[in-house]
Amino acid sequence: MDISYKIGDFEGPLDLLLHLLQKNKLNIYDIPIAQVLDQYMDAIREMQEADMEVASEFLEMAARLVQMKSYMLLPKHEEEGEHLRAELTGELIEYQLCQEAARRLAMQAVGGDLFVREPDEPEPDPIYRRTHLPDEIREAYYAAAGRGKRRQPPPVQAFSGVISRKIVSVSSKIVFVLRRLRERATVSYRSLYDGAKSRSDLVATFLAVLELIKANRIRVDGEGDEQTVRVGTVTEGEDIPLTVTGEETMITEG
């Protein structure tokens, strides 16, 4: 174990260096070696003038500071000087942490070698002991119930407007038109829309007529109210197939 020397108010060279840094408010992470060296040597001389025996480790630290200063003044050895200064910074920080730990232990010391641990925080009381007025409890319940309702899914009534809409397919209207023409070779164009119960029926019937004309299955003749619909290229007496092929188009009411 290293012997701890106490000269004046300082225990070893690191203690003296920390005192100088704190006294002059110098940055421990960027030690101005030249300034610290001058103040360190002044402290050593004061010890010698007081007829105090200066320990060898104080003189060794002085030699280290002189070496660092000389290296940092020479560009060729500047990098090595920075390395030595970083090494000294690490030693000072470590010594400072040890001092802080010793200070905390001293505050906990009861006497001799006996130390006590700080009391743990008390366990939280599991019983709710506050009192509230009935109105406050009722309002808290309503607030909690309201938040619960907001987390619930929307009611079925919110989708009634969408679900209740009738879906009409263009394919069904193509079958409807072909069946009408199967019963009668020629029908009134307007009669195809008779009995339509919604706008979706009207649109699907119109698209069905367009598809049949495009496929050359039917022909529309005349103008205005005199327009008639008849079978296109199918000869008289030939069965009209009712099977619809291709992509089915769905028309939703509304």
Side-chain angles (χ1 to χ4, degrees):
M1 180 177 178
D2 294 335
I3 300 177
S4 176
Y5 295 92
K6 183 173 180 65
I7 300 179
D9 296 328
F10 308 111
E11 295 184 356
L14 293 177
D15 194 19
L16 174 57
L17 283 176
L18 277 178
H19 170 74
L20 294 175
L21 292 174
Q22 294 169 358
K23 176 183 176 181
N24 296 280
K25 298 181 180 180
L26 301 177
N27 186 0
I28 192 173
Y29 294 96
D30 187 17
I31 302 173
I33 298 298
Q35 183 178 352
V36 171
L37 174 60
D38 293 340
Q39 296 183 9
Y40 185 87
M41 296 304 298
D42 290 341
I44 295 295
R45 281 192 289 269
E46 288 180 4
M47 294 178 188
Q48 291 174 339
E49 291 175 358
D51 294 330
M52 300 175 63
E53 183 179 354
V54 179
S56 59
E57 58 183 13
F58 281 87
L59 299 177
E60 181 184 357
M61 179 59 71
R64 286 180 62 184
L65 294 174
V66 171
Q67 183 183 22
M68 279 184 248
K69 180 179 178 181
S70 61
Y71 278 166
M72 298 182 72
L73 291 175
L74 300 173
K76 185 177 180 180
H77 300 283
E78 185 176 0
E79 184 176 349
E80 188 173 353
E82 288 292 341
H83 175 74
L84 294 175
R85 182 169 68 171
E87 184 178 314
L88 177 61
T89 299
E91 293 179 10
L92 287 170
I93 293 174
E94 191 173 320
Y95 184 79
Q96 192 176 38
L97 293 175
C98 291
Q99 281 187 327
E100 179 64 21
R103 183 186 65 80
R104 292 184 179 181
L105 287 174
M107 292 175 63
Q108 298 178 5
V110 175
D113 296 332
L114 180 63
F115 295 89
V116 295
R117 187 178 67 178
E118 295 181 357
D120 297 330
E121 294 184 1
E123 292 290 336
D125 189 355
I127 301 176
Y128 190 81
R129 302 183 183 278
R130 296 184 62 185
T131 58
H132 299 276
L133 297 174
D135 292 341
E136 294 177 345
I137 297 176
R138 185 178 61 253
E139 291 178 1
Y141 168 76
Y142 288 152
R147 287 194 294 270
K149 290 181 180 179
R150 288 195 292 271
R151 289 195 294 269
Q152 294 178 356
V156 178
Q157 293 78 3
F159 300 95
S160 60
V162 178
I163 298 175
S164 62
R165 291 177 180 174
K166 182 181 178 182
I167 299 177
V168 183
S169 68
V170 176
S171 298
S172 66
K173 289 301 179 180
I174 290 177
V175 173
F176 164 75
V177 173
L178 291 178
R179 281 178 177 170
R180 291 289 304 274
L181 291 175
R182 187 175 185 179
E183 295 171 357
R184 298 179 59 184
T186 302
V187 297
S188 169
Y189 175 72
R190 182 177 293 275
S191 66
L192 296 178
Y193 297 93
D194 293 342
K197 299 179 180 180
S198 65
R199 186 171 59 182
S200 298
D201 282 330
L202 297 174
V203 175
T205 303
F206 177 73
L207 293 177
V209 171
L210 291 181
E211 289 292 331
L212 290 171
I213 294 175
K214 181 179 178 182
N216 201 23
R217 302 291 299 278
I218 64 173
R219 181 180 304 166
V220 179
D221 297 320
E223 297 180 358
D225 294 337
E226 303 298 327
Q227 285 183 324
T228 58
V229 181
R230 63 187 181 87
V231 178
T233 57
V234 181
T235 59
E236 188 175 353
E238 182 179 358
D239 290 336
I240 303 173
L242 300 181
T243 303
V244 181
T245 59
E247 229 175 89
E248 185 176 287
T249 305
M250 309 298 287
I251 307 297
T252 303
E253 184 178 351

